[in-house]
Amino acid sequence: MKLNLLKLKRLLPIGLLFITWFLLSATVPTSSSTKENRKRFVGIWEMVVAENESGIELRVPPGYLKFFGKDGSYMFVIVTPEGAFNSQQGSFKVLSEDIYSENIKFSINPNLRNAASKVSYSFLNEDTLQIKGTVNGVPFVEKWKRVKTPVI
């Protein structure tokens, strides 16, 4: 019984985040080319691998989620056993077949607030996204897996 309550306690914040993301990602009219380029990003992604400064891939603990909305918004949320919190949010724009921009409006890291950066991306397959970039002089490489929600 205690284990089920712990699972429920962990899933409740995620469920609330899905509802919030759905409400925030209402369709906004855009040009058809921008809308088509953005379509592959839209959804919920979980970070699974990050490279350290030496280029060594490190597994990321579960719960690092990025929500890309249809309207060009994004939100980076971290879910822990203690609860969930919004780590970063802003907007994104697909610029080409391998570059998109992130405009960070809010971040828990004050050095990232109001930062804008171009990020390289590649879809390794439909459900795996790799991104590389530099924000305020700090390079990063991350792999994200698409979160597939079960039909209820």
Side-chain angles (χ1 to χ4, degrees):
M1 182 70 158
K2 187 175 184 181
L3 183 60
N4 287 337
L5 287 175
L6 289 174
K7 285 182 182 178
L8 181 60
K9 205 174 185 183
R10 178 164 165 85
L11 291 176
L12 184 59
I14 294 172
L16 292 173
L17 291 172
F18 285 135
I19 292 168
T20 303
W21 173 77
F22 179 76
L23 293 173
L24 290 175
S25 66
T27 304
V28 173
T30 59
S31 72
S32 62
S33 63
T34 301
K35 191 173 181 180
E36 288 304 311
N37 287 340
R38 213 180 332 185
K39 190 183 272 186
R40 291 182 78 184
F41 279 88
V42 172
I44 303 166
W45 298 82
E46 183 167 26
M47 190 187 326
V48 291
V49 174
E51 281 188 17
N52 68 13
E53 294 173 2
S54 302
I56 297 171
E57 288 189 349
L58 304 170
R59 289 228 170 265
V60 176
Y64 287 70
L65 303 171
K66 200 171 233 186
F67 301 78
F68 287 102
K70 292 178 185 177
D71 63 349
S73 65
Y74 83 90
M75 183 171 31
F76 183 21
V77 174
I78 300 174
V79 180
T80 70
E82 290 79 32
F85 62 93
N86 181 1
S87 171
Q88 187 179 102
Q89 73 183 61
S91 61
F92 77 99
K93 183 175 184 179
V94 175
L95 303 174
S96 70
E97 293 297 317
D98 60 356
I99 303 287
Y100 81 97
S101 64
E102 282 188 359
N103 187 4
I104 302 169
K105 294 292 183 194
F106 165 80
S107 176
I108 59 172
N109 179 343
N111 296 324
L112 298 180
R113 291 180 190 149
N114 299 311
S117 60
K118 291 183 180 176
V119 180
S120 301
Y121 73 91
S122 61
F123 287 94
L124 304 179
N125 57 51
E126 276 305 307
D127 296 324
T128 306
L129 170 64
Q130 179 170 291
I131 62 174
K132 299 178 186 180
T134 303
V135 177
N136 284 350
V138 179
F140 64 90
V141 177
E142 302 166 344
K143 285 185 185 166
W144 297 78
K145 291 280 187 183
R146 185 179 301 278
V147 174
K148 294 185 176 185
T149 55
V151 177
I152 299 175

